[in-house]
Amino acid sequence: MSMRRDQLRWNGWGRLGESTGLSPAREQWLRTELGRLLQQGFTPSPAPVALEQIQLAPCKLKPESQNALRAACGDNGVSTSSLERVTHGLGRSLPDLLRLRRGDVPHAPDAVVYPASEGAVASVLRIAADANLAVIPFGGGSSVVGGVEALMLRGQAGALCLDTTRLDALVRIDRENLTATFQAGIDGPALEAALRPHGLTLGHFPQSFEFSTLGGWIATRSSGQSSSGYGAIEDMLVSVRVMTPEGVIRTLSVPRSAAGPDLNGLVLGSEGTLGVIVEATLRVHDAPAVLEDRGMLFRSFADGVASVRDATREGVHVAVMRLSDAAETVLAQTLRRDPSRRFDPATAALALLARFGYGEGRTALVYAVEAESRRKASPALRRMFSIGRRHGGMPLGSSPGRAWRRDRFRTPYLRDWLLDQGIAVDTFETALSWGRLESGHDTVLRAMQRAAEIHAGAGLSMAHLSHSYPDGGCLYFTLLYPLDHANELLQWEAIKREVTEAIVAAGGTISHHHGVGVDHLPWLAREKGALGLAALRAARTALDPRGLMNPGKLL
Amino acid sequence: MSMRRDQLRWNGWGRLGESTGLSPAREQWLRTELGRLLQQGFTPSPAPVALEQIQLAPCKLKPESQNALRAACGDNGVSTSSLERVTHGLGRSLPDLLRLRRGDVPHAPDAVVYPASEGAVASVLRIAADANLAVIPFGGGSSVVGGVEALMLRGQAGALCLDTTRLDALVRIDRENLTATFQAGIDGPALEAALRPHGLTLGHFPQSFEFSTLGGWIATRSSGQSSSGYGAIEDMLVSVRVMTPEGVIRTLSVPRSAAGPDLNGLVLGSEGTLGVIVEATLRVHDAPAVLEDRGMLFRSFADGVASVRDATREGVHVAVMRLSDAAETVLAQTLRRDPSRRFDPATAALALLARFGYGEGRTALVYAVEAESRRKASPALRRMFSIGRRHGGMPLGSSPGRAWRRDRFRTPYLRDWLLDQGIAVDTFETALSWGRLESGHDTVLRAMQRAAEIHAGAGLSMAHLSHSYPDGGCLYFTLLYPLDHANELLQWEAIKREVTEAIVAAGGTISHHHGVGVDHLPWLAREKGALGLAALRAARTALDPRGLMNPGKLL
């Protein structure tokens, strides 16, 4: 079991003992700055409840089911402890964290099982079918769309959380084909660690990298920060094995096939509703020896967008491109500033740059070229440099990129600290064609700001362009707002609804890489159409006629 | 209607009046050479029957259905003529041609309809549902897997061929997103001609380019000769509209989505079994100003494969890579040789090259770099050159590539001429991971040769590597064998069965880009698994509960 849940925070992000790393002085300064940016005060949140205070519904499993599960998964592979039930009862979205902090876990599973083999997964599904239990596949549990809550269909006798993290083996590395086969419960760091001795990398680094699994990446159609270089999960997936209530689905390991519709495409994004992803073969890459991180400043978001679009279309070999809009650029600078220094050189430099037009609307691009040597990295660096210059970009050297890489998995810790202060952080993401991207950016930002002002009195809205394609890109929005402690969930729901409506109206998808879960379900039929959904539901019913698998989500 | 069927050969490939362009002297010489290569004689085929001699079953449509169809499609949009029923009754596979030449069209549609709007397509489906008729969507009719034969389910009252070629409009070009939207019945040349004034290209050039449609490319998961540069059809497809018997499915035009399983992926490869593809939005590209075609000779197939694999993995911007194996290299040289010249410079040059190790096992690679200028093409040309040299490649300059480009759509005409001579040409294709590619090449070649020798007394087997990916490639096999005129179809069937078994045993897919149709159906469950097929069938049933759409194929 590569992921030790007892070493993780049960009501927040990440590992126990880790935090934002802010000094008390810096914390105080940040609070002041945020108050200034929000133009409104905020009240610290009540202290989170202790685990022991949480009242869970009693476990509904019959003794014979529990015994059968122990026979399949081993005595230490079945748990009904509060810690296990609570940590497997919610994901890591804003409303999930709000509920965990209040001790409100309405849909905890009755038990958590840790099958350690494909056979054990099959046994669990059989036991669940016999006892009429819902089964919720659970990898890292980092869903931010309510994808892992243990919902049940009416009439189901209970819910099992099937934690996949004991299925974490490297099955095989195939150097000749540049592919690797893993059991699907392996998490990001363990997967990369298994590839490293072979000089290989998968190149999949979602924000949740440390606390998410291969199976989860496939089930949610995940995309990582290096998608410009390594593609998204669908580009990496060669073949997959899925244990469904009706048996195994497995796809063939070939580079391409025209033998009917692609079954990988049915499994990608299935969110545990078809079955449990147990194994997958992935395209891997020679690990780069050189990571060249760079930053560039633009006078406007439009200039930065044009640069990213051109680089994508021209096929420049760049692994990462992340363009912050003006508001996010300001916040990032605020977060990095050291208030203990009276003279801040970055601030001074920016004041100088403002004279050349890089003023209030300036936006920062971080990009990275990964290659086997400095020499091999240089053509892409030169081309990025010249594309950026064409759109008025000002090179910032390597430090912004390095700072991004150093901190890139730390942002969620900040979210917990902000929650302590009484500030909610929610994120929204969509993909839009280039022609709609800038107006979509404006529309959604305005909707976020308006929703925050109506429901929270104030808000701080920003976005970045996080993934790009020849025909469009992904906008990732962040909204900070003061929590209404008496009404946190209704406040969240109202804001979520208004922002998602704006995304749909702008012509965007309801999710570029977070998935659907419970939170996006009300908008799914508008994206897929009733008939499209009916086709997917029918496929699901063929594999899971009784609706055991992750009910209430997606389909 | 961009494709005029009355100007096409009804029992062979292509346009009336076009042919191989061989002179009588060259034809005579080729016959001698083929006899030498096959080491066996062959008997010219009986003359094909005339259209008038073909006995079709009487049209089973009731007058009220015919009237309703005329109301939907116009009087000239419904035909029950022999020419229309025959040309829409079979595709262009070897067994299809054998049957057409004998006048054996067992499954001609009862009528051919040409709806000119999406509304008319909907009306046709409604009329078909009311009258219990099978509907076979038909684009260019170039299927080589039996995909367009008008089969019926037991109990169906007749079969309509729904010819999509009046749905051939350019709907919209979106320069900013580099996308273009077309009605799906547009054929290859018309589609490229519509893009040309805008300086754009789709870059999709399957062998059937001149006589196939956008809808057919999507329905069969087509891949063209320039797939290294422009991708296969799934890489091009942004969104699609499909008219099913239950209504319209349409997908969203966004660059990527994680909102559940991808519906485009269900439509791609659906072979008309879900409904009629009526419109699609595609990623397009700035048309290249410069096409740099090159050839290179290798000492062995393995050396050439290694070069193509390395170029693919290193992401060299090359549009086309096609590597012939030793036997195909010999045949290509034979086809190009001019027997009227006593001194053939190419033969002399090859004799010289043999002294440097480019002897009997030599293989020829053709590749093309497409770019907006010579200067922009040169880095890729340099990299291809150096990768090829690393594996012992001998540059052949630009003439082999140019010859390939000039003749690339002409090969099927040669097939008809060979049929006249009594020589069958069949092709088989698969995709294999690199680790299995060379042994798969050997195994399948041996199976082809053995099957040809058993069932035809002799055979000439060859292959080329036609498409490549980081983890593997597509092998395209060609088999020539003397026809057993008394037993042509059984002979074909036996050979097809044995070769396909060898492909499956080698770990290959049953089709990289031809599709399933009727011919590959017996092997589909082995590739997808019974449960995988059940899921796809269930999705199909949700869209077409009565099984009207292209019955007997795929699902």
Side-chain angles (χ1 to χ4, degrees):
Chain A
M1 188 170 9
S2 50
M3 212 183 294
R4 293 284 306 277
R5 305 245 180 243
D6 56 354
Q7 296 175 3
L8 304 181
R9 289 187 66 192
W10 65 267
N11 63 357
W13 186 259
R15 260 177 288 273
L16 287 167
E18 287 203 25
S19 71
T20 55
L22 296 172
S23 68
R26 228 163 125 73
E27 287 189 355
Q28 180 50 48
W29 179 79
L30 257 185
R31 271 190 294 267
T32 313
E33 284 297 292
L34 286 167
R36 194 175 60 74
L37 290 168
L38 279 168
Q39 302 178 292
Q40 187 178 300
F42 38 89
T43 323
S45 297
V49 304
L51 183 63
E52 299 70 41
Q53 292 174 261
I54 298 182
Q55 299 288 330
L56 293 178
C59 168
K60 296 184 288 296
L61 297 195
K62 294 193 178 141
E64 55 266 34
S65 295
Q66 294 199 38
N67 291 339
L69 291 169
R70 288 210 167 80
C73 302
D75 281 346
N76 68 355
V78 180
S79 174
T80 54
S81 77
S82 288
L83 174 67
E84 290 282 351
R85 291 178 65 197
V86 167
T87 54
H88 289 83
L90 285 168
R92 286 296 176 268
S93 66
L94 171 59
D96 288 353
L97 293 182
L98 293 173
R99 287 185 288 175
L100 283 170
R101 295 168 67 101
R102 298 181 161 256
D104 174 17
V105 187
H107 305 292
D110 293 289
V112 181
V113 297
Y114 287 89
S117 67
E118 191 177 302
V121 173
S123 300
V124 170
L125 297 193
R126 235 177 353 252
I127 295 161
D130 290 345
N132 194 20
L133 306 173
V135 179
I136 295 90
F138 192 104
S142 64
S143 172
V144 288
V145 294
V148 294
E149 225 173 313
L151 304 179
M152 288 183 283
L153 294 183
R154 207 180 291 266
Q156 282 177 332
L160 289 179
C161 176
L162 191 158
D163 186 305
T164 60
T165 54
R166 282 194 189 169
L167 292 163
D168 64 349
L170 165 64
V171 177
R172 153 179 3 102
I173 285 189
D174 187 332
R175 204 85 203 42
E176 196 170 5
N177 296 327
L178 274 183
T179 58
T181 304
F182 293 95
Q183 288 186 307
I186 193 166
D187 62 43
L191 180 143
E192 286 290 337
L195 292 174
R196 203 168 300 123
H198 303 270
L200 297 170
T201 182
L202 177 61
H204 189 70
F205 301 106
Q207 172 85 75
S208 61
F209 172 74
E210 299 170 284
F211 308 107
S212 57
T213 61
L214 171 55
W217 300 340
I218 296 167
T220 59
R221 290 180 70 83
S222 167
S223 184
Q225 297 167 347
S226 305
S227 69
S228 290
Y230 299 96
I233 196 70
E234 66 270 24
D235 304 307
M236 299 169 180
L237 186 67
V238 178
S239 64
V240 67
R241 284 178 71 86
V242 185
M243 181 65 68
T244 82
E246 294 290 290
V248 170
I249 284 196
R250 54 110 196 92
T251 59
L252 199 63
S253 284
V254 290
R256 181 182 194 263
S257 166
D262 181 26
L263 283 174
N264 284 348
L266 198 62
V267 174
L268 285 156
S270 58
E271 301 195 6
T273 63
L274 305 181
V276 184
I277 297 168
V278 288
E279 194 179 295
T281 297
L282 305 160
R283 296 181 181 97
V284 294
H285 305 267
D286 289 316
V290 170
L291 308 175
E292 295 278 5
D293 298 326
R294 293 285 186 280
M296 198 174 248
L297 203 64
F298 293 92
R299 293 192 177 89
S300 68
F301 192 55
D303 286 348
V305 168
S307 302
V308 171
R309 187 196 60 210
D310 290 359
T312 305
R313 285 198 180 151
E314 293 177 24
V316 183
H317 288 245
V318 61
V320 176
M321 283 191 285
R322 178 195 165 107
L323 174 75
S324 294
D325 68 3
E328 196 180 275
T329 301
V330 168
L331 187 68
Q333 206 212 326
T334 304
L335 288 174
R336 259 179 224 133
R337 202 152 112 195
D338 183 350
S340 66
R341 292 169 73 168
R342 286 184 55 192
F343 174 73
D344 179 40
T347 308
L350 286 172
L352 188 67
L353 281 169
R355 293 203 214 152
F356 296 94
Y358 302 90
E360 283 204 350
R362 67 183 163 236
T363 61
L365 170 69
V366 161
Y367 60 96
V369 171
E370 308 189 350
E372 57 183 291
S373 66
R374 275 175 177 261
R375 198 178 55 80
K376 294 236 169 160
S378 63
L381 286 172
R382 269 200 308 274
R383 288 182 68 190
M384 275 303 290
F385 187 88
S386 98
I387 290 169
R389 288 297 300 144
R390 198 198 297 161
H391 297 288
M394 167 75 75
L396 296 178
S398 58
S399 62
R402 283 200 205 128
W404 164 81
R405 194 179 289 275
R406 190 189 56 226
D407 295 338
R408 63 176 171 161
F409 298 130
R410 301 201 61 82
T411 331
Y413 291 102
L414 190 63
R415 181 173 60 155
D416 287 333
W417 180 80
L418 286 164
L419 277 181
D420 290 336
Q421 314 311 309
I423 297 176
V425 186
D426 205 3
T427 60
F428 308 89
E429 41 89 50
T430 186
L432 289 157
S433 57
W434 292 118
R436 288 169 163 170
L437 194 118
E438 280 162 69
S439 67
H441 175 243
D442 289 349
T443 316
V444 177
L445 275 188
R446 267 203 308 274
M448 284 163 70
Q449 195 62 33
R450 197 177 49 230
E453 284 167 9
I454 292 172
H455 302 287
L460 191 55
S461 310
M462 64 202 80
H464 62 268
L465 173 60
S466 59
H467 302 74
S468 54
Y469 308 90
D471 53 324
C474 166
L475 286 178
Y476 194 96
F477 296 91
T478 304
L479 174 64
L480 276 66
Y481 62 85
L483 279 167
D484 172 3
H485 296 304
N487 248 325
E488 290 170 350
L489 284 175
L490 288 176
Q491 185 188 33
W492 168 78
E493 217 174 278
I495 293 172
K496 176 77 181 174
R497 188 171 52 241
E498 287 163 32
V499 176
T500 308
E501 284 293 338
I503 286 173
V504 172
T509 169
I510 55 172
S511 175
H512 170 272
H513 61 272
H514 283 169
V516 178
V518 169
D519 295 352
H520 293 143
L521 203 50
W523 291 272
L524 186 63
R526 266 157 79 187
E527 176 147 347
K528 298 283 194 196
L531 197 56
L533 268 188
L536 295 176
R537 281 200 193 107
R540 181 242 172 100
T541 303
L543 305 176
D544 177 19
R546 300 179 58 192
L548 305 179
M549 300 307 306
N550 211 9
K553 323 292 164 53
L554 184 64
L555 296 177
Chain B
M1 187 172 9
S2 50
M3 212 183 296
R4 294 282 308 275
R5 305 243 182 244
D6 57 355
Q7 296 175 3
L8 303 181
R9 292 187 65 194
W10 65 268
N11 63 357
W13 186 259
R15 263 177 287 273
L16 287 167
E18 287 203 26
S19 71
T20 55
L22 297 171
S23 68
R26 228 164 124 73
E27 286 189 354
Q28 181 50 49
W29 179 80
L30 256 185
R31 271 190 294 268
T32 313
E33 285 297 294
L34 286 166
R36 194 176 59 74
L37 289 167
L38 280 168
Q39 301 178 293
Q40 188 178 300
F42 38 88
T43 323
S45 296
V49 304
L51 184 63
E52 299 70 42
Q53 291 175 261
I54 299 181
Q55 299 287 329
L56 292 178
C59 169
K60 295 184 288 295
L61 297 195
K62 294 195 177 139
E64 55 266 34
S65 296
Q66 294 198 38
N67 291 339
L69 291 169
R70 288 210 167 79
C73 302
D75 281 346
N76 69 355
V78 181
S79 174
T80 55
S81 77
S82 289
L83 175 66
E84 290 281 351
R85 291 179 65 199
V86 166
T87 54
H88 289 84
L90 286 168
R92 286 297 174 268
S93 66
L94 171 60
D96 289 352
L97 293 181
L98 294 173
R99 287 185 289 176
L100 283 170
R101 294 167 67 100
R102 299 180 161 256
D104 174 17
V105 186
H107 304 292
D110 293 290
V112 181
V113 297
Y114 287 88
S117 68
E118 190 177 303
V121 173
S123 300
V124 170
L125 297 193
R126 236 177 353 252
I127 295 161
D130 290 346
N132 195 20
L133 306 172
V135 179
I136 296 89
F138 192 103
S142 63
S143 172
V144 288
V145 294
V148 294
E149 225 174 314
L151 303 179
M152 286 183 284
L153 295 184
R154 208 181 291 265
Q156 282 175 332
L160 290 179
C161 177
L162 191 158
D163 187 304
T164 61
T165 55
R166 282 193 189 170
L167 292 162
D168 65 348
L170 166 63
V171 176
R172 154 179 4 102
I173 285 189
D174 187 332
R175 203 84 203 42
E176 196 171 5
N177 297 327
L178 274 184
T179 59
T181 305
F182 293 95
Q183 288 186 306
I186 193 166
D187 62 43
L191 180 143
E192 285 292 336
L195 292 174
R196 203 168 299 123
H198 303 270
L200 296 171
T201 182
L202 177 60
H204 190 70
F205 301 106
Q207 171 86 75
S208 62
F209 171 74
E210 298 170 285
F211 308 107
S212 57
T213 62
L214 171 55
W217 301 340
I218 296 168
T220 59
R221 290 181 69 82
S222 167
S223 182
Q225 296 167 348
S226 305
S227 68
S228 290
Y230 299 96
I233 196 69
E234 67 270 23
D235 305 306
M236 300 170 180
L237 186 67
V238 179
S239 63
V240 68
R241 283 180 72 84
V242 185
M243 182 64 70
T244 81
E246 295 288 292
V248 170
I249 285 197
R250 53 109 198 93
T251 59
L252 199 64
S253 283
V254 289
R256 182 183 193 263
S257 165
D262 180 27
L263 283 174
N264 284 348
L266 198 62
V267 174
L268 286 156
S270 58
E271 300 195 8
T273 62
L274 305 182
V276 184
I277 297 168
V278 288
E279 194 179 295
T281 297
L282 304 160
R283 296 180 180 97
V284 294
H285 306 266
D286 290 316
V290 169
L291 308 175
E292 295 279 5
D293 298 326
R294 294 286 187 279
M296 198 174 248
L297 203 64
F298 293 92
R299 293 191 176 91
S300 68
F301 193 55
D303 286 348
V305 168
S307 302
V308 171
R309 186 196 61 212
D310 289 359
T312 305
R313 286 200 180 149
E314 293 177 24
V316 182
H317 288 245
V318 62
V320 177
M321 283 192 283
R322 178 196 165 107
L323 174 74
S324 294
D325 69 2
E328 197 181 274
T329 301
V330 168
L331 187 68
Q333 204 211 329
T334 304
L335 288 172
R336 258 177 224 136
R337 203 152 111 194
D338 184 349
S340 66
R341 293 168 73 169
R342 285 185 57 193
F343 174 73
D344 179 40
T347 309
L350 286 173
L352 188 67
L353 281 169
R355 293 200 216 155
F356 296 95
Y358 303 90
E360 285 204 349
R362 66 184 163 236
T363 62
L365 171 69
V366 161
Y367 60 95
V369 171
E370 308 189 351
E372 58 182 290
S373 66
R374 276 178 178 260
R375 199 178 54 79
K376 294 235 169 162
S378 63
L381 286 173
R382 269 201 308 274
R383 288 181 70 190
M384 276 302 289
F385 188 89
S386 98
I387 290 169
R389 288 298 300 144
R390 197 198 297 161
H391 296 287
M394 167 74 74
L396 296 178
S398 59
S399 61
R402 282 198 206 130
W404 164 80
R405 194 178 288 275
R406 190 189 59 226
D407 295 338
R408 62 177 171 160
F409 299 130
R410 302 200 62 81
T411 331
Y413 290 101
L414 190 64
R415 181 173 60 154
D416 286 335
W417 179 80
L418 286 164
L419 277 181
D420 290 336
Q421 313 312 309
I423 297 176
V425 185
D426 204 3
T427 60
F428 309 88
E429 41 89 51
T430 187
L432 289 156
S433 57
W434 292 119
R436 287 170 164 170
L437 193 118
E438 281 161 68
S439 67
H441 174 243
D442 290 349
T443 316
V444 177
L445 275 188
R446 266 204 308 274
M448 284 164 71
Q449 196 60 33
R450 196 178 49 230
E453 284 168 8
I454 292 172
H455 303 286
L460 192 54
S461 310
M462 66 201 78
H464 63 267
L465 174 61
S466 59
H467 302 73
S468 55
Y469 307 89
D471 53 326
C474 166
L475 285 177
Y476 194 96
F477 297 91
T478 304
L479 174 65
L480 278 66
Y481 63 84
L483 278 166
D484 173 2
H485 296 303
N487 248 324
E488 290 168 350
L489 284 175
L490 288 176
Q491 183 187 34
W492 167 79
E493 215 175 280
I495 294 171
K496 175 78 181 173
R497 187 170 54 240
E498 287 164 32
V499 176
T500 308
E501 285 291 339
I503 285 173
V504 172
T509 168
I510 55 172
S511 176
H512 170 271
H513 60 271
H514 282 170
V516 178
V518 169
D519 295 352
H520 292 143
L521 203 49
W523 292 272
L524 186 62
R526 267 157 80 187
E527 176 147 346
K528 298 283 195 197
L531 197 56
L533 267 187
L536 295 175
R537 281 201 192 106
R540 180 241 172 101
T541 303
L543 305 176
D544 176 20
R546 300 179 57 192
L548 305 178
M549 300 306 306
N550 211 9
K553 324 291 163 54
L554 186 62
L555 296 177

